[in-house]
């Protein structure tokens, strides 16, 4: 007998008011449908009950694919039966046949929702007895261990149906994509910024990637690496294609090199990126700017420099990696599929000074910007951005 349904569990959604929860659940179901279509997973229907979403179908890939939908805490491929102790016990015995081997201990885990004339304990005893009897009938010596069993069989009893399963697939968690509005994200082909972008996607944010192209101080490999990272991130949000801005920034770097304190090139560059991102954010009616900054990781990300970079700018910045170390970021990059892309060879930025500023005074950058026409530079970059859909 095959599994005929996948149980989808969510977490934070359950804490919302009824109207917000209804909206979040509908959004989650829409995102699940899009993910299933992306991977050509067949199903007959998607339904929901209080606290659960059910995907009806027999495709063995369903549980794994849906676990990667933002908002999903876990999934379980299950078999459906009648909402009675007798039917659940029979199903447990059928599943145990071949699943529990000689010498292995087992436990029955039950959960009950709805109105029934039996308790969860009653259900567990009934199902455990059925499994025990089946194992003895095959000449095996059953063993129950409720603390650390070798095998577990789960029974979820609801009002209309019972679901029996043996597996939990951990989901990505977070909130359904699209429930927290839009933000722009400064994305490069490095390890950090794709991870930062993904982390805000996980919190329900639709992102608008911005790539600041530093040519001639970078090369086509750097650009392609960035675009490939964006394409990989797109796989996490099927049905919601990215609107990507590719913004020329090389001429801005040239102006800073020619006219400003050379040591401050990197912090001036980052500040200009924020100005560009703020303009695009307002154009797109978005509500924030996402960065890949991790405190102290590179010269532009010291506490002093991060202060100076935003001095006088009214920009809502989000730094989801700010407290993570490099190993933590790398592990996330591997999880989301961008790491192998980000470590591909590409030219380092040719505008980086030999001795970059690491302790910029917070009011020093506007003084440097007065040496160039910063407003005109930002307008030019935004006006000449290439916009594409991924």
């Amino acid at each position: 007998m095959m599994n005929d349904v996948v149980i989808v569990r969510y977490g934070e959604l359950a804490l919302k008011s009824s109207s917000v929860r209804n909206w979040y659940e509908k959004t989650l179901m829409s995102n699940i449908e899009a993910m299933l279509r992306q991977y050509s997973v067949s199903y007959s229907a998607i339904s929901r009950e209080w606290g659960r979403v059910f995907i009806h179908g027999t495709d063995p890939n369903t549980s794994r694919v849906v676990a990667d939908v933002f908002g999903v805490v876990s999934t379980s491929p299950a078999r459906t039966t009648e909402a009675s102790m007798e039917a659940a016990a029979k199903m447990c015995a059928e599943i145990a046949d071949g699943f529990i081997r000689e010498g292995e201990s087992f436990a029955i885990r039950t959960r009950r929702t709805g109105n029934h004339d039996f308790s969860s304990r009653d259900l567990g005893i009934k199902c455990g007895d059925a499994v025990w009897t089946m194992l003895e009938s095959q000449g095996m010596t059953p063993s129950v261990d409720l603390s650390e069993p070798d095998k577990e069989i789960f029974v979820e009893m609801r009002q209309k149906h019972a679901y029996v399963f043996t597996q939990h697939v951990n989901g990505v968690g977070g909130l359904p994509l699209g429930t927290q509005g839009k933000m722009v994200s400064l994305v490069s082909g490095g390890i950090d910024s794709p991870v930062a972008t993904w982390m805000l996607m996980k919190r329900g944010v639709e992102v608008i990637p911005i790539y600041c192209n530093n040519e001639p101080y970078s090369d086509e490999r750097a650009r392609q690496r960035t675009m490939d990272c964006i394409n990989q991130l797109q796989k996490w949000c099927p049905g919601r294609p990215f609107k990507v801005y590719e913004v020329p920034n090389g001429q801005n770097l040239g102006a800073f090199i020619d006219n400003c304190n050379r040591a401050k090139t990197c912090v001036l560059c980052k500040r200009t990126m924020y100005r560009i991102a703020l303009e695009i954010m307002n154009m797109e009616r978005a509500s924030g700017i996402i960065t890949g900054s991790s405190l102290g990781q590179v010269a532009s990300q010291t506490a002093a420099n991060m202060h100076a970079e935003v001095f006088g700018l009214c920009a809502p910045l989000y730094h989801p990696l700010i407290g993570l170390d490099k190993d933590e970021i790398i592990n996330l990059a591997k999880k989301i599929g961008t790491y192998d892309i980000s470590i591909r060879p590409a030219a380092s930025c040719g505008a980086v000074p030999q001795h970059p500023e690491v302790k910029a005074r917070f009011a020093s950058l506007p003084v440097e910007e007065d040496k160039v026409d910063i407003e005109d530079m930002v307008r030019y970059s935004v006006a000449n951005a290439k916009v594409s859909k991924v």
Side-chain angles (χ1 to χ4, degrees), residues 48-76:
R48 60 173 172 151
E49 296 179 18
W50 188 255
R52 296 286 186 268
V53 172
F54 297 94
I55 305 170
H56 305 274
T58 59
D59 193 312
N61 296 314
T62 305
S63 187
R64 174 184 54 81
V65 167
V66 173
D68 283 342
V69 176
F70 296 118
V72 172
V73 172
S74 67
T75 65
S76 291

Side-chain angles (χ1 to χ4, degrees), residues 147-326:
S147 299
E148 297 182 356
D150 296 308
K151 296 290 175 62
E152 294 175 297
I153 297 177
F154 300 86
V155 181
E156 183 156 327
M157 180 69 65
R158 301 184 74 85
Q159 190 63 47
K160 296 181 179 179
H161 298 97
Y163 302 93
V164 185
F165 54 95
T166 61
Q167 183 183 11
H168 280 82
V169 178
N170 290 331
V172 68
L175 295 173
L177 192 70
T179 59
Q180 302 303 308
K182 297 187 297 183
M183 294 186 189
V184 299
S185 183
L186 290 165
V187 182
S188 72
I191 295 173
D192 300 341
S193 60
V195 174
T197 303
W198 182 88
M199 289 181 72
L200 266 294
M201 291 165 61
K202 179 182 174 182
R203 296 306 303 164
V205 174
E206 287 192 76
V207 298
I208 301 167
I210 300 173
Y211 170 55
C212 291
N213 191 330
N214 290 338
E215 292 181 4
Y217 301 98
S218 64
D219 63 4
E220 175 59 25
R221 293 178 300 170
R223 177 190 177 278
Q224 191 57 55
R225 197 169 64 175
T226 302
M227 296 305 162
D228 289 346
C229 282
I230 291 172
N231 285 329
Q232 176 61 28
L233 290 173
Q234 178 64 69
K235 295 178 181 178
W236 288 87
C237 53
R240 299 176 184 270
F242 287 145
K243 184 177 183 180
V244 183
Y245 283 79
E246 182 179 348
V247 181
N249 192 51
Q251 77 284 352
N252 299 332
L253 286 170
F256 296 141
I257 290 171
D258 292 341
N259 299 284
C260 302
N261 184 330
R262 188 71 175 91
K264 299 184 186 296
T265 301
C266 291
V267 285
L268 285 167
C269 176
K270 179 60 75 68
R271 184 174 170 86
T272 303
M273 289 181 179
Y274 288 159
R275 288 179 177 274
I276 291 168
L278 183 58
E279 291 296 318
I280 296 174
M281 184 197 83
N282 290 331
M283 288 165 49
E284 293 290 343
R285 297 184 179 179
S287 55
I289 300 169
I290 305 166
T291 87
S293 295
S294 175
L295 189 62
Q297 190 171 130
V298 295
S300 65
Q301 295 172 14
T302 63
N305 283 359
M306 291 180 71
H307 185 190
E309 287 161 3
V310 298
F311 178 74
L313 299 182
C314 184
L317 297 176
Y318 291 80
H319 309 297
L321 308 185
I322 197 70
L324 301 185
D325 61 35
K326 198 65 180 182

Side-chain angles (χ1 to χ4, degrees), residues 89-107:
K90 181 181 178 182
M91 183 68 74
C92 284
E94 292 174 356
I95 288 177
D97 188 3
F99 175 62
I100 301 173
R101 296 191 173 96
E102 177 64 40
E104 291 183 330
S105 59
F106 75 94

